[in-house]
Amino acid sequence: MLDGVRVLDLTDHRGEVAACLLGDLGAEVIKVEPRGGSPARWQPPLLPDAQPGRASLQFAAYNANKQSIVLDPDIAEDVDILRGIVAEADIVFDSGPPGYLDDFGLAGDEILAVNPAVVRVLITAFGSDGPRAHQPASDLTLAALGGPMRVQGPRDQAPVQVSVPQAWRHAGAEAGIAALVARARARQTGRGQLVDISAQVAMTWTMLNAMEAWAVQGSDFERAGSTLKLAASFELCSACADGHLVAVPLGRTVGPLVKWMHDQGAVGPEWLDEDWETFDMRLLDGEAGVSDFDGVYQAFQEAFRRSTKRDLLSLGLEVGSTLAPINTLSDLADFDHLAVRGFWQSAAVTPEVEVRGPGGFVAIDGARIAVERVAPAPDEHGPSIRVREPLDVPPLAAAGPADELPLAGLKVADFSWIGVGPITAKCLADHGATVVRVESENYVDGLRNQPPFKDGEPGLNRSNFYGPFNTSKLGLSLDLKTDEGIGVARRLLDWADVAIDSFTPGTMERLGLGYERARQTNPGLIMVTTSLMGSGGPASAMAGYGYHAAGIAGFFELVGWPDGPPQGPYLAYTDTIGPRFITPTILAALEQREQTGAGCFIEAAQLEIALQFLAPELLDLQASGRLAGRLGNRSDYVGPQGAYPCSGEDQWCAITVASDEQWSALCVVMGLDDLAVDATLASVEGRLAAHDLIDERMSAWTAGRSALEVEQTLAAAGLPAGAVQSSQDLFSDPQYLHRGVHHWLEHSECGSTPYTGHAYRIEGYDHGPRTAAPMLGEHTFDVLTDLLGLTGAEVAELAIANAIV
């Protein structure tokens, strides 16, 4: 898709996902490394006994489809070579601060003097400026300061992270989106762009409906382990014979299972007579049922205890009930659905070691994108790059209006719902696309019924769970269960450049809205379908939400404490991963369409996309037999590390000691003189062995200080530290205030309402969101008449036919 796009990657582990993503989509990527190789080559997990610079399985996972050249900023010839490569580049990724480009004299505007049309993307912990810009950070402290730790784990224990690195993977994927949005702006204006990524904000987006909770409803959501707290509270995790599964105790889950549960002796005969279709709403309205939600959960526990995860998955698929196994990474390696879909691919992590690794994250026109080149050795392509002829660089386009949004003129039909699809379309809308969000009163997006509600008052148009995922869109009320509604949907597909749906596989085809039919009248249409499992596999029929996907993808097994059950990341975690891969795929498809005039069909399985964020750990399992699991807030590779109690109720500060030098600094700051001279603690291995003792001493020091004082004191000494922030804290975070992260927009019913902005800034224009989320059907008449060309009489006929309700 991105054939002809030239990308330079000067990042370390903090940004390498970005260029990898674009390389997977077809861009030519050159990784520029310092003498001795990129520090990313020593990021764990490491392959034992590997060649120097080839041991990192993280590097192997996120540097495929790249070439490598080693350049030294102290050598004049190397500086000239880099300037020549920059002059030919479309996009340059760097991580910092300050960034490797700075060493070559190409910081900030200087790079534009070499290439006036280049897009430079800088990926940092907090953004390139502001009060925290140069503060040390770790994966743990970013999860704390960004907010997701605050809502993860049991209330009676410390807030907890995902036990494998996630922050820089989120930031890198977000940088892939920002790069292509900025590239669209560069081509539109004829001027280069500077893009500034904040990993902290990228992590805030994993809070989902907790992001703006305090400002919207007047209170924060608090962590509750694996309990799902929405309109009612539900325990997500049920035990079974060989582990756990996600089974939400709602009527739609119980109804198809109730006969089997009765046969298992878990429920009495009266359960067979219950109306499970209306069970949930009756309980929420205060009416009595055969049981309550807790009673259903207890019945699940009894019914599931003698069956395995695999058997329960098969049972759920057979009867139409979503029973999602909480997989380990070992379970995933043996999951037949992934094998049938051809997900795994051969991956040479070194010249001597070849394993089975995760495959491409999407399929285009039925073909999964593939790794064409394994991660390179240091300077593997340096000799050929140094002597190659200068590439042809087309002249700058005529400068266009700087105030026009980069995706202005793009038309998008959004048939999706809940998280992945709407967040994807929201990004396009925020940057100027005209996005029509299709709903109806008979098929309302489920998020409209979930908190937080503005001022705590429920209502279909008052949810700020729905709101942040649907900014800048137009709302069209359209019932797809009517022939007339289907007719309007076909007109919408003829109008659109991009169409997105998130139904279970085959639904759009059954409605007569599938890609093969749509492209007959609109051959330039780019259609995206995203589902939990993808089509063509034994589990394809499974319908569910992000918490089901998080269980199946292995994330539940990676959140919690080693001596306790899986807790899971907050809510629908994988809903925040999917858009970060689907959005750049759409932007790449639009570039391809400019060259060919043809659209394409993109299939995105949310499970397979989520596994991209576990790729290093999956390679490690295959290559070394190590199985990643729950570690609380500790790490197998650095220490001490954890969330430590501070003064005040439920106040914590996350701290990482990532080197021997940082250990010495910690001992000085905390006055741990006896530990400082203990030779057994001079190495990370010794500190990990004595982690409990060290934690006691650190906790005694932090307990008498506020979380902010602990953070600032340790950060001043060069230590990664971060207060575990809530939604309320984020609204007063000086870094967020400096960057203008929160946008207050006028909503038609709710008035002034906060929306979290993007994790990046593109210099020179407001990066959105532009307008508040639409009320249900708010723009129906305007869409039908102004965009689709219907007359007033035709709209009236649709209303009579109940097609627009």
Side-chain angles (χ1 to χ4, degrees):
M1 285 183 164
L2 294 179
D3 185 33
V5 177
R6 302 163 188 135
V7 176
L8 292 190
D9 178 13
L10 290 92
T11 67
D12 53 23
H13 71 283
R14 294 172 293 176
E16 60 195 0
V17 170
C20 182
L21 195 161
L22 300 194
D24 289 352
L25 292 170
E28 178 194 20
V29 181
I30 297 176
K31 187 167 190 68
V32 179
E33 305 187 61
R35 187 166 39 193
S38 169
R41 292 184 178 275
W42 283 266
Q43 282 295 309
L46 301 174
L47 186 65
D49 304 321
Q51 298 175 4
R54 300 302 295 268
S56 171
L57 294 167
Q58 167 145 324
F59 189 90
Y62 297 134
N63 288 276
N65 287 328
K66 298 180 185 179
Q67 305 170 61
S68 170
I69 183 171
V70 171
L71 296 175
D72 188 336
D74 294 327
I75 299 175
E77 181 183 355
D78 282 6
V79 173
D80 290 340
I81 289 171
L82 181 63
R83 285 176 170 265
I85 300 173
V86 167
E88 301 169 348
D90 297 297
I91 299 168
V92 178
F93 291 107
D94 202 357
S95 52
Y100 190 34
L101 276 173
D102 296 45
D103 295 340
F104 290 87
L106 293 174
D109 291 339
E110 289 90 344
I111 193 174
L112 300 179
V114 175
N115 183 342
V118 74
V119 172
R120 184 207 179 189
V121 184
L122 181 63
I123 304 162
T124 65
F126 305 106
S128 62
D129 55 17
R132 276 205 184 94
H134 297 280
Q135 182 170 313
S138 68
D139 207 89
L140 177 71
T141 64
L142 287 169
L145 286 164
M149 277 182 66
R150 182 73 186 193
V151 287
Q152 289 177 170
R155 176 71 177 184
D156 60 351
Q157 292 179 285
V160 68
Q161 65 165 351
V162 179
S163 288
V164 300
Q166 293 291 286
W168 295 114
R169 298 176 192 180
H170 279 287
E174 193 73 5
I177 299 173
L180 292 180
V181 170
R183 174 166 160 77
R185 179 169 166 80
R187 298 167 76 202
Q188 172 196 84
T189 64
R191 293 185 287 274
Q193 305 292 309
L194 298 177
V195 184
D196 179 6
I197 309 289
S198 164
Q200 182 190 13
V201 181
M203 291 306 290
T204 293
W205 266 93
T206 69
M207 295 178 73
L208 297 161
N209 68 329
M211 286 191 295
E212 304 100 358
W214 175 79
V216 170
Q217 66 182 13
S219 61
D220 283 311
F221 291 125
E222 299 293 347
R223 64 189 183 282
S226 58
T227 300
L228 175 67
K229 289 189 171 184
L230 292 175
S233 294
F234 311 103
E235 181 58 46
L236 286 175
C237 295
S238 293
C240 60
D242 61 346
H244 297 80
L245 72 156
V246 176
V248 185
L250 293 172
R252 61 176 175 271
T253 310
V254 183
L257 289 172
V258 68
K259 183 179 184 305
W260 176 82
M261 293 172 66
H262 176 264
D263 293 344
Q264 296 293 307
V267 299
E270 67 277 9
W271 284 55
L272 299 173
D273 299 325
E274 174 64 84
D275 180 2
W276 295 105
E277 289 290 326
T278 64
F279 175 79
D280 306 334
M281 290 307 301
R282 286 188 285 113
L283 256 62
L284 291 173
D285 288 341
E287 299 179 28
V290 69
S291 182
D292 57 19
F293 294 122
D294 185 62
V296 171
Y297 171 70
Q298 297 302 326
F300 279 176
Q301 295 289 91
E302 176 63 25
F304 298 155
R305 63 188 177 89
R306 290 181 293 272
S307 299
T308 66
K309 292 184 288 187
R310 183 167 296 188
D311 287 344
L312 290 167
L313 171 63
S314 298
L315 171 67
L317 291 169
E318 179 183 342
V319 302
S321 179
T322 302
L323 303 179
I326 292 178
N327 286 322
T328 65
L329 298 193
S330 293
D331 294 329
L332 287 162
D334 296 329
F335 190 20
D336 59 348
H337 178 81
L338 291 172
V340 170
R341 278 186 47 83
F343 175 66
W344 304 108
Q345 65 179 27
S346 177
V349 296
T350 74
E352 300 81 19
V353 179
E354 186 167 306
V355 298
R356 192 179 62 159
F361 50 86
V362 293
I364 313 295
D365 291 333
R368 185 183 299 278
I369 60 174
V371 172
E372 304 293 342
R373 176 186 284 119
V374 299
D379 205 43
E380 180 176 336
H381 307 92
S384 60
I385 294 172
R386 285 180 171 85
V387 300
R388 77 179 185 181
E389 292 296 321
L391 299 174
D392 178 41
V393 179
L396 286 174
D403 58 350
E404 185 171 293
L405 296 173
L407 301 184
L410 180 66
K411 297 173 289 186
V412 181
D414 181 7
F415 293 94
S416 64
W417 72 319
I418 304 296
V420 174
I423 294 172
T424 299
K426 161 248 178 26
C427 177
L428 305 178
D430 285 351
H431 293 294
T434 300
V435 177
V436 175
R437 178 73 160 87
V438 179
E439 296 178 86
S440 78
E441 290 184 9
N442 298 327
Y443 192 71
V444 67
D445 189 317
L447 295 190
R448 286 188 177 274
N449 291 310
Q450 303 300 340
F453 297 107
K454 186 68 187 299
D455 302 325
E457 180 184 338
L460 285 181
N461 296 311
R462 303 184 67 81
S463 169
N464 230 51
F465 200 163
Y466 176 91
F469 302 173
N470 290 279
T471 54
S472 309
K473 299 180 185 179
L474 303 175
L476 169 63
S477 176
L478 189 65
D479 192 341
L480 298 180
K481 292 184 177 180
T482 66
D483 291 341
E484 293 82 0
I486 293 295
V488 173
R490 287 177 180 153
R491 294 185 69 147
L492 195 61
L493 291 176
D494 287 343
W495 164 84
D497 298 301
V498 176
I500 305 172
D501 81 83
S502 56
F503 299 118
T504 52
T507 300
M508 289 291 275
E509 286 75 14
R510 288 191 294 274
L511 291 172
L513 301 174
Y515 177 65
E516 290 303 321
R517 179 164 185 165
R519 72 171 183 167
Q520 292 176 14
T521 53
N522 185 359
L525 178 66
I526 296 165
M527 181 171 275
V528 183
T529 185
T530 173
S531 63
L532 204 68
M533 307 296 285
S535 62
S540 292
M542 177 182 284
Y545 302 96
Y547 42 79
H548 295 114
I552 297 170
F555 283 101
F556 263 80
E557 277 287 351
L558 295 169
V559 179
W561 305 91
D563 57 351
Q567 296 293 335
Y570 181 68
L571 210 56
Y573 179 68
T574 57
D575 280 5
T576 66
I577 303 175
R580 289 178 165 150
F581 287 82
I582 299 172
T583 309
T585 304
I586 293 171
L587 295 171
L590 289 166
E591 289 214 20
Q592 183 183 54
R593 191 181 69 167
E594 287 185 22
Q595 304 300 318
T596 66
C600 63
F601 180 69
I602 300 168
E603 186 195 34
Q606 293 163 29
L607 167 63
E608 294 167 2
I609 292 177
L611 291 182
Q612 307 300 319
F613 275 14
L614 296 176
E617 291 71 33
L618 287 164
L619 290 180
D620 194 24
L621 176 65
Q622 296 287 313
S624 305
R626 286 185 292 249
L627 178 63
R630 295 186 298 283
L631 298 173
N633 291 316
R634 293 183 178 179
S635 165
D636 285 332
Y637 309 108
V638 299
Q641 176 174 276
Y644 297 88
C646 300
S647 62
E649 182 181 357
D650 199 32
Q651 298 299 303
W652 306 81
C653 187
I655 304 168
T656 296
V657 176
S659 67
D660 296 343
E661 293 75 19
Q662 289 183 0
W663 168 245
S664 296
L666 180 84
C667 290
V668 171
V669 171
M670 292 190 174
L672 307 176
D673 298 341
D674 56 327
L675 300 186
V677 298
D678 188 337
T680 65
L681 304 181
S683 68
V684 65
E685 293 80 10
R687 294 192 293 274
L688 291 177
H691 216 307
D692 290 345
L693 168 64
I694 296 172
D695 279 355
E696 288 180 12
R697 298 289 299 278
M698 292 175 65
S699 296
W701 186 86
T702 61
R705 296 165 172 82
S706 71
L708 183 59
E709 179 187 353
V710 172
E711 175 192 335
Q712 292 177 339
T713 301
L714 295 180
L719 288 154
V724 177
Q725 298 206 110
S726 66
S727 166
Q728 180 177 2
D729 297 324
L730 294 177
F731 275 86
S732 59
D733 184 327
Q735 184 68 16
Y736 278 29
L737 293 173
H738 174 84
R739 288 179 65 86
V741 169
H742 295 106
H743 295 237
W744 290 80
L745 302 173
E746 197 66 25
H747 185 275
S748 298
E749 179 174 327
C750 300
S752 183
T753 303
Y755 296 88
T756 301
H758 296 278
Y760 48 85
R761 296 185 309 192
I762 301 175
E763 190 173 277
Y765 87 106
D766 185 349
H767 67 303
R770 296 185 288 142
T771 60
M775 297 199 299
L776 183 60
E778 181 174 357
H779 307 98
T780 296
F781 185 80
D782 294 335
V783 168
L784 294 176
T785 56
D786 296 347
L787 300 186
L788 300 186
L790 273 65
T791 65
E794 289 172 320
V795 173
E797 291 175 3
L798 290 172
I800 293 170
N802 293 320
I804 49 174
V805 293

